[in-house]
Every structure is written in C-alpha cells, then in structure tokens.
Amino acid sequence: MGKSASKQFAEEVLKAHNDYRKKHGVPPLKLCKKLNRGAQQYAEELATTRVLKHSSDSANGKCGENLAWASYDQPGKDVADRWYSEIKNYSFQNPGFSSGTGDRHPSLL
C-alpha cells in the first residue's frame, strides 16, 4: 500500500528543508505527528477562510511556521524552494525578521 499524498508531501518538504539546512551547517529537522496534525487542521481552516495568516501559536512565539498558497498541486521540494529563494533578501550580517523574508509565503510542518 502506498503512502498518502499528504505524508509524501510532508516528507518531500522535510527533505528539501534539511538539504538547505545542511548547506548552512545546522541540524536536520524531524517530522512530529502532533505538529503535523495541528498544521493540517490549520491548513484546512485557512482553506475555508481563504485568508493566509499565521496561526496564533506562531504569532505568540510557541512555534515557527512557513505558509504557502498555490492554486495547483506542487511537489514539496518546489514549495521549500519558494521559501528558500527569499535568502537573497536576508541579511546574515543583520539577522532577524525583515519584510522581505519570513512572511510572504509563510512551513506547515
């Protein structure tokens, strides 16, 4: 029996994230069933409201998240590539939040 599409997508996003993290010498991420469940529920809520905004847990600093919206199916790697492409707008000399990164297509992992 094959993997569900959502599990395959999560694994693709995770692999792409970890490939990028490796380039920067930071440890890999691991999937968490509890976070995945919460992310799925929140994604379904966003799909219903059709408003892309960070969750209250993210806004309160309880977790980090990247959000993405597309009108067509995308492989997990493509979604991670979209987030990582913001690196061109990030200043490693002046780290932290900036309007050019971190909030335009905020991960639901």
Side-chain angles (χ1 to χ4, degrees):
M1 185 177 258
K3 293 180 192 171
S4 72
S6 62
K7 182 162 178 62
Q8 180 178 346
F9 179 82
E11 289 175 357
E12 288 174 2
V13 171
L14 177 68
K15 181 181 181 325
H17 270 76
N18 285 337
D19 288 346
Y20 285 127
R21 291 174 66 83
K22 188 175 182 178
K23 289 181 179 188
H24 297 277
V26 294
L29 299 171
K30 293 188 275 187
L31 288 178
C32 170
K33 288 181 183 181
K34 182 179 177 183
L35 287 175
N36 279 346
R37 277 193 303 273
Q40 183 62 44
Q41 289 173 345
Y42 190 62
E44 290 170 11
E45 182 182 325
L46 292 178
T48 301
T49 62
R50 302 184 67 80
V51 175
L52 189 64
K53 68 177 187 173
H54 283 289
S55 68
S56 58
D57 283 345
S58 176
N60 294 332
K62 293 181 181 177
C63 68
E65 64 187 14
N66 295 321
L67 303 176
W69 188 289
S71 59
Y72 55 92
D73 288 342
Q74 285 188 313
K77 181 179 181 329
D78 290 357
V79 174
D81 290 348
R82 284 175 50 198
W83 293 317
Y84 190 76
S85 70
E86 293 182 355
I87 193 171
K88 66 186 175 296
N89 301 319
Y90 190 77
S91 171
F92 286 90
Q93 290 74 37
N94 187 22
F97 176 81
S98 73
S99 61
T101 61
D103 209 19
R104 289 186 301 153
H105 5 271
S107 189
L108 292 179
L109 284 181

